[in-house]
Amino acid sequence: MKKIAVFASGSGSNFQAIIDVVQSGELKADISLLVCDKPGAFAVDRANAARIPSFAFSAKDYPSKDAYEAEILAELKKRGVEFIVLAGYMRLIGPTLLREFQGRIVNIHPSLLPAFPGKDAIGQALEAKATWSGVTIHFVDEGMDTGPIIVQERVRLEEDETRESLQNKIHAVEHKLYPAILQVLLTQGGIVNGKKASTY
Ligand code: GRF
């Protein structure tokens, strides 16, 4: 069973969706660690409730990204983590983690990339009066939401769409799509749509 770490900064509803499928046995993986850069975040409570170890830190307590990532890396190695799942982690992954995990880090983003990258993709879609937005799952590289795309699913914006309604629709898609794709990546040798995921 692959040992994974989930990285989150906030409420962690995607983290919870992953916990749920692991607990039900639908996803054969071991969530070995939650990494969280906001010690008070609800994601940490979710980890505690599920008896998943967490490493919570504040970036301001470290001199640099390299310094806190070195500590994260030590935690990952100590637990034999093989794969990193970003789920609402609001920081760019730096060279320290990328060097060790490139090709083994995935992220979920609430837009159809390359549209609306970075912060507040939902607000960006509303502001642009887009008809379509959605969800992208992609491998992580050194850029901001730029790595190779694994899968995307569309969500339609209605005339009267609000931030809350769009967020709910996007979350509903995310909570199904992320577990399904992780299942493929972690247990079927990374084959997505008949191609080896690492060749995307
Ligand atoms: C999700 O919409 C995800 O796409 C984005 O951040 C949000 C995290 O939500 N990267 P949650 O913490 O999983 O509820």
Side-chain angles (χ1 to χ4, degrees):
M1 207 145 54
K2 276 237 158 61
K3 289 181 188 291
I4 68 171
V6 178
F7 286 34
S9 302
S11 129
S13 70
N14 279 284
F15 175 41
Q16 187 67 52
I18 297 165
I19 293 173
D20 291 347
V21 290
V22 166
Q23 287 183 342
S24 72
E26 280 164 80
L27 177 60
K28 302 256 178 297
D30 176 354
I31 310 175
S32 305
L33 186 68
L34 169 74
V35 172
C36 181
D37 63 330
K38 298 265 180 331
F42 192 52
V44 176
D45 297 341
R46 295 184 193 270
N48 291 338
R51 298 176 188 279
I52 294 167
S54 54
F55 174 67
F57 69 99
S58 291
K60 62 175 168 42
D61 296 339
Y62 295 82
S64 63
K65 185 188 286 277
D66 282 343
Y68 68 72
E69 285 201 345
E71 204 155 317
I72 295 172
L73 186 57
E75 290 288 331
L76 298 173
K77 285 191 164 166
K78 190 167 84 189
R79 296 183 161 80
V81 168
E82 299 155 272
F83 199 90
I84 296 175
V85 177
L86 306 185
Y89 182 66
M90 300 304 286
R91 291 179 180 276
L92 270 185
I93 298 295
T96 304
L97 286 175
L98 271 178
R99 245 192 328 264
E100 297 274 343
F101 281 92
Q102 185 126 38
R104 293 184 292 135
I105 313 179
V106 289
N107 181 41
I108 189 160
H109 184 79
S111 76
L112 297 175
L113 291 171
F116 314 133
K119 287 207 170 120
D120 194 19
I122 289 177
Q124 292 183 53
L126 289 167
E127 179 74 17
K129 300 201 184 317
T131 310
W132 292 98
S133 191
V135 173
T136 301
I137 296 172
H138 65 95
F139 286 106
V140 170
D141 63 11
E142 61 288 343
M144 169 86 83
D145 302 321
T146 52
I149 290 172
I150 300 165
V151 71
Q152 297 187 299
E153 191 168 322
R154 296 196 303 176
V155 169
R156 190 184 165 86
L157 279 75
E158 304 303 332
E159 294 273 314
D160 59 350
E161 200 72 58
T162 64
R163 174 177 285 273
E164 198 191 356
S165 65
L166 182 54
Q167 185 137 342
N168 288 341
K169 286 199 278 192
I170 284 190
H171 265 143
V173 169
E174 290 184 334
H175 297 163
K176 286 209 152 52
L177 195 60
Y178 219 3
I181 288 300
L182 289 175
Q183 171 73 19
V184 172
L185 291 172
L186 297 173
T187 68
Q188 295 169 28
I191 307 294
V192 180
N193 295 336
K195 288 189 197 166
K196 193 109 179 121
S198 58
T199 64
Y200 271 69

Short mmCIF file of all heavy atoms in Angstrom, two decimals, residues 2-8 18 30-35 69 72-77 80-87 89 91 93-94 96-108 137-140 150 178 182 185-186:
data_model
loop_
_atom_site.label_atom_id
_atom_site.label_comp_id
_atom_site.label_asym_id
_atom_site.label_seq_id
_atom_site.Cartn_x
_atom_site.Cartn_y
_atom_site.Cartn_z
N LYS A 2 0.64 2.17 -0.94
CA LYS A 2 1.48 3.39 -1.02
C LYS A 2 1.25 4.29 0.17
O LYS A 2 0.12 4.54 0.59
CB LYS A 2 1.13 4.16 -2.30
CG LYS A 2 1.84 3.67 -3.53
CD LYS A 2 2.66 4.79 -4.19
CE LYS A 2 3.77 4.23 -5.07
NZ LYS A 2 3.29 3.40 -6.17
N LYS A 3 2.34 4.81 0.69
CA LYS A 3 2.26 5.78 1.79
C LYS A 3 2.22 7.17 1.18
O LYS A 3 3.11 7.54 0.41
CB LYS A 3 3.48 5.65 2.69
CG LYS A 3 3.51 4.39 3.53
CD LYS A 3 4.77 4.40 4.39
CE LYS A 3 4.98 3.11 5.11
NZ LYS A 3 4.02 2.83 6.16
N ILE A 4 1.16 7.92 1.54
CA ILE A 4 1.01 9.26 0.98
C ILE A 4 0.99 10.30 2.11
O ILE A 4 0.67 9.99 3.26
CB ILE A 4 -0.27 9.40 0.12
CG1 ILE A 4 -1.55 9.30 0.95
CG2 ILE A 4 -0.29 8.33 -0.97
CD1 ILE A 4 -2.82 9.63 0.17
N ALA A 5 1.34 11.53 1.73
CA ALA A 5 1.16 12.67 2.64
C ALA A 5 0.22 13.64 1.95
O ALA A 5 0.32 13.84 0.73
CB ALA A 5 2.48 13.35 2.93
N VAL A 6 -0.70 14.20 2.70
CA VAL A 6 -1.59 15.25 2.18
C VAL A 6 -1.12 16.58 2.76
O VAL A 6 -0.81 16.65 3.96
CB VAL A 6 -3.06 14.97 2.55
CG1 VAL A 6 -3.96 16.10 2.06
CG2 VAL A 6 -3.52 13.63 1.98
N PHE A 7 -1.03 17.59 1.90
CA PHE A 7 -0.66 18.94 2.33
C PHE A 7 -1.90 19.83 2.21
O PHE A 7 -2.53 19.88 1.14
CB PHE A 7 0.42 19.56 1.43
CG PHE A 7 1.82 19.02 1.58
CD1 PHE A 7 2.07 17.69 1.89
CD2 PHE A 7 2.92 19.86 1.38
CE1 PHE A 7 3.37 17.20 2.00
CE2 PHE A 7 4.23 19.38 1.49
CZ PHE A 7 4.45 18.06 1.80
N ALA A 8 -2.27 20.52 3.28
CA ALA A 8 -3.45 21.40 3.24
C ALA A 8 -3.19 22.63 4.09
O ALA A 8 -2.35 22.60 5.00
CB ALA A 8 -4.67 20.64 3.76
N ILE A 18 -10.55 12.28 0.91
CA ILE A 18 -9.54 11.24 0.74
C ILE A 18 -9.54 10.30 1.95
O ILE A 18 -9.48 9.08 1.81
CB ILE A 18 -8.15 11.88 0.49
CG1 ILE A 18 -8.16 12.68 -0.80
CG2 ILE A 18 -7.06 10.80 0.44
CD1 ILE A 18 -7.00 13.64 -0.97
N ASP A 30 -2.12 4.51 2.35
CA ASP A 30 -1.92 4.78 3.77
C ASP A 30 -1.62 6.28 3.90
O ASP A 30 -0.60 6.74 3.40
CB ASP A 30 -0.74 3.92 4.24
CG ASP A 30 -0.37 4.17 5.68
OD1 ASP A 30 -0.93 5.09 6.30
OD2 ASP A 30 0.52 3.46 6.18
N ILE A 31 -2.54 7.03 4.51
CA ILE A 31 -2.28 8.47 4.70
C ILE A 31 -1.36 8.57 5.91
O ILE A 31 -1.80 8.50 7.06
CB ILE A 31 -3.57 9.28 4.92
CG1 ILE A 31 -4.62 8.98 3.85
CG2 ILE A 31 -3.24 10.78 4.93
CD1 ILE A 31 -5.97 9.66 4.08
N SER A 32 -0.07 8.74 5.65
CA SER A 32 0.93 8.65 6.71
C SER A 32 1.13 9.98 7.43
O SER A 32 1.67 10.01 8.53
CB SER A 32 2.27 8.20 6.14
OG SER A 32 2.09 6.99 5.44
N LEU A 33 0.74 11.09 6.77
CA LEU A 33 1.02 12.40 7.36
C LEU A 33 0.16 13.48 6.73
O LEU A 33 -0.06 13.48 5.51
CB LEU A 33 2.50 12.74 7.13
CG LEU A 33 3.03 14.01 7.79
CD1 LEU A 33 3.06 13.86 9.31
CD2 LEU A 33 4.44 14.34 7.28
N LEU A 34 -0.31 14.40 7.57
CA LEU A 34 -0.85 15.67 7.07
C LEU A 34 0.22 16.73 7.31
O LEU A 34 0.75 16.84 8.43
CB LEU A 34 -2.12 16.08 7.83
CG LEU A 34 -2.56 17.52 7.52
CD1 LEU A 34 -3.17 17.64 6.12
CD2 LEU A 34 -3.52 18.07 8.57
N VAL A 35 0.53 17.51 6.29
CA VAL A 35 1.42 18.66 6.44
C VAL A 35 0.56 19.90 6.31
O VAL A 35 -0.21 20.04 5.36
CB VAL A 35 2.54 18.65 5.37
CG1 VAL A 35 3.35 19.94 5.43
CG2 VAL A 35 3.45 17.44 5.57
N GLU A 69 11.09 23.43 4.34
CA GLU A 69 10.91 22.24 3.48
C GLU A 69 11.89 21.13 3.88
O GLU A 69 11.57 19.95 3.75
CB GLU A 69 11.05 22.60 2.00
CG GLU A 69 9.81 23.32 1.48
CD GLU A 69 9.66 23.26 -0.02
OE1 GLU A 69 10.64 22.91 -0.72
OE2 GLU A 69 8.54 23.55 -0.51
N ILE A 72 10.11 19.40 6.57
CA ILE A 72 9.02 18.58 6.00
C ILE A 72 9.61 17.31 5.39
O ILE A 72 9.12 16.19 5.61
CB ILE A 72 8.22 19.36 4.93
CG1 ILE A 72 7.48 20.55 5.55
CG2 ILE A 72 7.24 18.44 4.20
CD1 ILE A 72 6.82 21.48 4.54
N LEU A 73 10.69 17.48 4.63
CA LEU A 73 11.32 16.34 3.96
C LEU A 73 11.76 15.29 4.97
O LEU A 73 11.56 14.08 4.76
CB LEU A 73 12.52 16.83 3.13
CG LEU A 73 13.21 15.81 2.25
CD1 LEU A 73 12.24 15.18 1.25
CD2 LEU A 73 14.38 16.47 1.49
N ALA A 74 12.32 15.75 6.08
CA ALA A 74 12.75 14.80 7.12
C ALA A 74 11.54 14.03 7.66
O ALA A 74 11.61 12.81 7.88
CB ALA A 74 13.45 15.56 8.24
N GLU A 75 10.42 14.74 7.85
CA GLU A 75 9.19 14.07 8.34
C GLU A 75 8.70 13.03 7.33
O GLU A 75 8.25 11.94 7.69
CB GLU A 75 8.08 15.11 8.57
CG GLU A 75 8.31 16.04 9.73
CD GLU A 75 8.15 15.35 11.08
OE1 GLU A 75 7.38 14.37 11.17
OE2 GLU A 75 8.83 15.77 12.04
N LEU A 76 8.76 13.41 6.05
CA LEU A 76 8.28 12.50 4.99
C LEU A 76 9.16 11.25 4.93
O LEU A 76 8.66 10.12 4.82
CB LEU A 76 8.29 13.21 3.63
CG LEU A 76 7.38 14.43 3.49
CD1 LEU A 76 7.63 15.14 2.15
CD2 LEU A 76 5.91 14.03 3.60
N LYS A 77 10.47 11.48 5.02
CA LYS A 77 11.41 10.34 4.92
C LYS A 77 11.26 9.42 6.12
O LYS A 77 11.30 8.20 5.99
CB LYS A 77 12.84 10.85 4.82
CG LYS A 77 13.13 11.42 3.43
CD LYS A 77 14.61 11.67 3.24
CE LYS A 77 14.92 11.85 1.76
NZ LYS A 77 16.26 12.42 1.56
N GLY A 80 8.51 7.20 5.48
CA GLY A 80 8.54 6.44 4.23
C GLY A 80 7.50 6.89 3.21
O GLY A 80 7.01 6.09 2.40
N VAL A 81 7.16 8.18 3.22
CA VAL A 81 6.15 8.70 2.28
C VAL A 81 6.69 8.64 0.85
O VAL A 81 7.82 9.03 0.57
CB VAL A 81 5.75 10.14 2.65
CG1 VAL A 81 4.93 10.80 1.54
CG2 VAL A 81 4.97 10.16 3.96
N GLU A 82 5.82 8.14 -0.06
CA GLU A 82 6.24 7.97 -1.47
C GLU A 82 5.55 8.95 -2.41
O GLU A 82 5.94 9.10 -3.57
CB GLU A 82 5.88 6.55 -1.93
CG GLU A 82 6.55 5.45 -1.16
CD GLU A 82 5.75 4.17 -1.23
OE1 GLU A 82 4.85 3.97 -0.38
OE2 GLU A 82 6.00 3.37 -2.14
N PHE A 83 4.47 9.57 -1.96
CA PHE A 83 3.65 10.36 -2.88
C PHE A 83 3.01 11.51 -2.10
O PHE A 83 2.55 11.32 -0.97
CB PHE A 83 2.55 9.44 -3.45
CG PHE A 83 1.91 9.93 -4.71
CD1 PHE A 83 2.43 9.58 -5.95
CD2 PHE A 83 0.79 10.74 -4.65
CE1 PHE A 83 1.83 10.04 -7.12
CE2 PHE A 83 0.19 11.20 -5.82
CZ PHE A 83 0.71 10.85 -7.06
N ILE A 84 2.99 12.71 -2.70
CA ILE A 84 2.44 13.90 -2.02
C ILE A 84 1.19 14.38 -2.75
O ILE A 84 1.20 14.56 -3.97
CB ILE A 84 3.49 15.03 -1.98
CG1 ILE A 84 4.71 14.61 -1.15
CG2 ILE A 84 2.88 16.32 -1.43
CD1 ILE A 84 5.85 15.62 -1.15
N VAL A 85 0.14 14.61 -1.97
CA VAL A 85 -1.14 15.08 -2.51
C VAL A 85 -1.41 16.47 -1.95
O VAL A 85 -1.63 16.63 -0.74
CB VAL A 85 -2.27 14.11 -2.07
CG1 VAL A 85 -3.63 14.63 -2.55
CG2 VAL A 85 -2.00 12.70 -2.59
N LEU A 86 -1.35 17.48 -2.80
CA LEU A 86 -1.65 18.84 -2.35
C LEU A 86 -3.17 19.04 -2.43
O LEU A 86 -3.78 18.80 -3.47
CB LEU A 86 -0.95 19.89 -3.22
CG LEU A 86 0.57 19.76 -3.39
CD1 LEU A 86 1.12 20.96 -4.17
CD2 LEU A 86 1.27 19.65 -2.04
N ALA A 87 -3.75 19.47 -1.31
CA ALA A 87 -5.21 19.66 -1.27
C ALA A 87 -5.49 20.98 -0.56
O ALA A 87 -5.72 21.02 0.64
CB ALA A 87 -5.86 18.49 -0.53
N TYR A 89 -3.20 23.47 -0.40
CA TYR A 89 -1.95 23.94 0.23
C TYR A 89 -1.56 25.23 -0.47
O TYR A 89 -1.34 25.22 -1.70
CB TYR A 89 -0.88 22.87 0.08
CG TYR A 89 0.46 23.19 0.73
CD1 TYR A 89 0.57 23.30 2.12
CD2 TYR A 89 1.60 23.35 -0.03
CE1 TYR A 89 1.80 23.56 2.72
CE2 TYR A 89 2.84 23.61 0.55
CZ TYR A 89 2.92 23.72 1.94
OH TYR A 89 4.15 23.97 2.53
N ARG A 91 0.95 27.22 -0.68
CA ARG A 91 2.35 27.62 -0.88
C ARG A 91 2.93 26.91 -2.10
O ARG A 91 2.58 25.76 -2.36
CB ARG A 91 3.21 27.24 0.32
CG ARG A 91 2.87 28.03 1.52
CD ARG A 91 3.67 27.66 2.73
NE ARG A 91 3.21 28.53 3.78
CZ ARG A 91 3.65 29.77 3.96
NH1 ARG A 91 4.64 30.24 3.22
NH2 ARG A 91 3.12 30.53 4.90
N ILE A 93 5.60 24.78 -3.95
CA ILE A 93 6.57 23.77 -3.55
C ILE A 93 7.95 24.19 -4.09
O ILE A 93 8.09 24.53 -5.27
CB ILE A 93 6.18 22.38 -4.12
CG1 ILE A 93 4.82 21.94 -3.56
CG2 ILE A 93 7.25 21.33 -3.83
CD1 ILE A 93 4.78 21.69 -2.07
N GLY A 94 8.94 24.19 -3.22
CA GLY A 94 10.28 24.65 -3.61
C GLY A 94 11.19 23.51 -4.02
O GLY A 94 10.81 22.33 -3.97
N THR A 96 13.67 22.02 -2.65
CA THR A 96 14.03 20.98 -1.67
C THR A 96 13.09 19.78 -1.78
O THR A 96 13.53 18.63 -1.78
CB THR A 96 13.97 21.57 -0.24
OG1 THR A 96 14.82 22.71 -0.19
CG2 THR A 96 14.39 20.57 0.81
N LEU A 97 11.79 20.04 -1.89
CA LEU A 97 10.83 18.93 -2.00
C LEU A 97 10.74 18.42 -3.43
O LEU A 97 10.60 17.22 -3.68
CB LEU A 97 9.45 19.37 -1.51
CG LEU A 97 9.30 19.51 0.01
CD1 LEU A 97 7.93 20.07 0.37
CD2 LEU A 97 9.51 18.16 0.69
N LEU A 98 10.83 19.35 -4.40
CA LEU A 98 10.70 18.93 -5.80
C LEU A 98 11.81 17.97 -6.22
O LEU A 98 11.57 17.00 -6.94
CB LEU A 98 10.73 20.14 -6.73
CG LEU A 98 9.39 20.81 -7.01
CD1 LEU A 98 9.59 22.03 -7.90
CD2 LEU A 98 8.42 19.83 -7.67
N ARG A 99 13.03 18.26 -5.77
CA ARG A 99 14.17 17.41 -6.11
C ARG A 99 13.88 15.95 -5.75
O ARG A 99 14.20 15.04 -6.49
CB ARG A 99 15.41 17.87 -5.34
CG ARG A 99 16.51 18.42 -6.23
CD ARG A 99 17.83 18.62 -5.51
NE ARG A 99 17.73 18.98 -4.11
CZ ARG A 99 17.79 20.23 -3.64
NH1 ARG A 99 17.95 21.24 -4.45
NH2 ARG A 99 17.70 20.47 -2.34
N GLU A 100 13.27 15.74 -4.61
CA GLU A 100 13.04 14.37 -4.11
C GLU A 100 11.75 13.76 -4.67
O GLU A 100 11.63 12.55 -4.76
CB GLU A 100 12.92 14.39 -2.58
CG GLU A 100 14.16 14.83 -1.87
CD GLU A 100 15.15 13.69 -1.61
OE1 GLU A 100 14.74 12.52 -1.70
OE2 GLU A 100 16.31 14.01 -1.34
N PHE A 101 10.75 14.62 -4.97
CA PHE A 101 9.42 14.08 -5.26
C PHE A 101 8.88 14.43 -6.65
O PHE A 101 7.72 14.14 -6.93
CB PHE A 101 8.42 14.56 -4.19
CG PHE A 101 8.51 13.76 -2.91
CD1 PHE A 101 9.33 14.17 -1.88
CD2 PHE A 101 7.78 12.59 -2.75
CE1 PHE A 101 9.43 13.44 -0.70
CE2 PHE A 101 7.86 11.85 -1.58
CZ PHE A 101 8.69 12.27 -0.55
N GLN A 102 9.68 15.03 -7.52
CA GLN A 102 9.13 15.44 -8.82
C GLN A 102 8.50 14.22 -9.53
O GLN A 102 9.07 13.13 -9.53
CB GLN A 102 10.21 16.05 -9.71
CG GLN A 102 9.63 16.59 -11.01
CD GLN A 102 9.99 18.05 -11.26
OE1 GLN A 102 11.10 18.49 -10.96
NE2 GLN A 102 9.06 18.80 -11.80
N GLY A 103 7.30 14.45 -10.09
CA GLY A 103 6.57 13.34 -10.72
C GLY A 103 5.74 12.56 -9.71
O GLY A 103 4.97 11.68 -10.07
N ARG A 104 5.92 12.88 -8.44
CA ARG A 104 5.17 12.19 -7.39
C ARG A 104 4.47 13.20 -6.47
O ARG A 104 4.24 12.94 -5.31
CB ARG A 104 6.11 11.28 -6.58
CG ARG A 104 6.65 10.12 -7.42
CD ARG A 104 7.50 9.17 -6.61
NE ARG A 104 8.74 9.78 -6.19
CZ ARG A 104 9.25 9.68 -4.96
NH1 ARG A 104 8.61 9.01 -4.02
NH2 ARG A 104 10.41 10.25 -4.66
N ILE A 105 4.15 14.37 -7.05
CA ILE A 105 3.36 15.38 -6.32
C ILE A 105 2.22 15.80 -7.24
O ILE A 105 2.45 16.19 -8.40
CB ILE A 105 4.17 16.65 -5.98
CG1 ILE A 105 5.52 16.32 -5.37
CG2 ILE A 105 3.34 17.56 -5.05
CD1 ILE A 105 6.38 17.55 -5.04
N VAL A 106 0.99 15.72 -6.73
CA VAL A 106 -0.16 16.19 -7.51
C VAL A 106 -0.87 17.30 -6.75
O VAL A 106 -0.79 17.40 -5.53
CB VAL A 106 -1.16 15.06 -7.84
CG1 VAL A 106 -0.58 14.10 -8.87
CG2 VAL A 106 -1.61 14.32 -6.60
N ASN A 107 -1.58 18.12 -7.53
CA ASN A 107 -2.33 19.25 -6.96
C ASN A 107 -3.72 19.29 -7.58
O ASN A 107 -3.91 18.82 -8.70
CB ASN A 107 -1.59 20.56 -7.28
CG ASN A 107 -2.28 21.78 -6.69
OD1 ASN A 107 -2.76 21.75 -5.56
ND2 ASN A 107 -2.37 22.85 -7.47
N ILE A 108 -4.66 19.85 -6.83
CA ILE A 108 -6.00 20.09 -7.38
C ILE A 108 -6.24 21.59 -7.36
O ILE A 108 -5.94 22.26 -6.38
CB ILE A 108 -7.08 19.30 -6.61
CG1 ILE A 108 -8.42 19.37 -7.33
CG2 ILE A 108 -7.22 19.77 -5.16
CD1 ILE A 108 -9.40 18.28 -6.94
N ILE A 137 -6.68 18.57 -12.09
CA ILE A 137 -5.70 17.84 -11.29
C ILE A 137 -4.44 17.72 -12.14
O ILE A 137 -4.52 17.35 -13.32
CB ILE A 137 -6.24 16.46 -10.87
CG1 ILE A 137 -7.46 16.64 -9.96
CG2 ILE A 137 -5.14 15.64 -10.17
CD1 ILE A 137 -8.21 15.36 -9.63
N HIS A 138 -3.31 18.10 -11.57
CA HIS A 138 -2.08 18.13 -12.37
C HIS A 138 -0.87 17.77 -11.53
O HIS A 138 -0.89 17.87 -10.30
CB HIS A 138 -1.90 19.53 -12.97
CG HIS A 138 -1.68 20.63 -11.97
ND1 HIS A 138 -0.43 21.06 -11.60
CD2 HIS A 138 -2.54 21.35 -11.23
CE1 HIS A 138 -0.54 22.00 -10.69
NE2 HIS A 138 -1.82 22.21 -10.44
N PHE A 139 0.19 17.34 -12.21
CA PHE A 139 1.46 17.14 -11.52
C PHE A 139 2.05 18.50 -11.20
O PHE A 139 1.80 19.48 -11.92
CB PHE A 139 2.43 16.34 -12.40
CG PHE A 139 2.07 14.89 -12.50
CD1 PHE A 139 1.51 14.37 -13.66
CD2 PHE A 139 2.25 14.04 -11.41
CE1 PHE A 139 1.15 13.02 -13.75
CE2 PHE A 139 1.90 12.70 -11.49
CZ PHE A 139 1.35 12.19 -12.64
N VAL A 140 2.84 18.54 -10.15
CA VAL A 140 3.40 19.80 -9.69
C VAL A 140 4.82 19.97 -10.19
O VAL A 140 5.63 19.04 -10.09
CB VAL A 140 3.35 19.84 -8.14
CG1 VAL A 140 4.13 21.03 -7.58
CG2 VAL A 140 1.89 19.90 -7.68
N ILE A 150 -3.37 16.14 -15.62
CA ILE A 150 -3.80 14.74 -15.59
C ILE A 150 -5.25 14.63 -16.02
O ILE A 150 -5.61 13.79 -16.84
CB ILE A 150 -3.62 14.16 -14.17
CG1 ILE A 150 -2.16 14.23 -13.75
CG2 ILE A 150 -4.15 12.72 -14.10
CD1 ILE A 150 -1.94 14.03 -12.25
N TYR A 178 -10.91 13.76 -7.13
CA TYR A 178 -9.57 13.56 -6.55
C TYR A 178 -9.39 12.11 -6.07
O TYR A 178 -8.42 11.45 -6.46
CB TYR A 178 -9.31 14.57 -5.43
CG TYR A 178 -7.90 15.13 -5.37
CD1 TYR A 178 -6.94 14.78 -6.32
CD2 TYR A 178 -7.51 16.03 -4.37
CE1 TYR A 178 -5.65 15.30 -6.27
CE2 TYR A 178 -6.22 16.56 -4.33
CZ TYR A 178 -5.30 16.19 -5.27
OH TYR A 178 -4.02 16.71 -5.23
N LEU A 182 -6.64 9.56 -7.68
CA LEU A 182 -5.61 8.99 -6.78
C LEU A 182 -5.62 7.48 -6.85
O LEU A 182 -4.58 6.82 -6.84
CB LEU A 182 -5.83 9.47 -5.34
CG LEU A 182 -5.51 10.95 -5.12
CD1 LEU A 182 -5.89 11.37 -3.71
CD2 LEU A 182 -4.04 11.24 -5.40
N LEU A 185 -3.67 6.69 -9.94
CA LEU A 185 -2.24 7.00 -9.82
C LEU A 185 -1.53 6.10 -8.82
O LEU A 185 -0.37 5.73 -9.02
CB LEU A 185 -2.06 8.46 -9.39
CG LEU A 185 -2.46 9.52 -10.41
CD1 LEU A 185 -2.41 10.90 -9.78
CD2 LEU A 185 -1.52 9.48 -11.62
N LEU A 186 -2.21 5.76 -7.75
CA LEU A 186 -1.53 5.05 -6.66
C LEU A 186 -1.61 3.54 -6.79
O LEU A 186 -0.75 2.83 -6.29
CB LEU A 186 -2.12 5.46 -5.30
CG LEU A 186 -1.95 6.93 -4.93
CD1 LEU A 186 -2.71 7.25 -3.66
CD2 LEU A 186 -0.48 7.27 -4.77
#
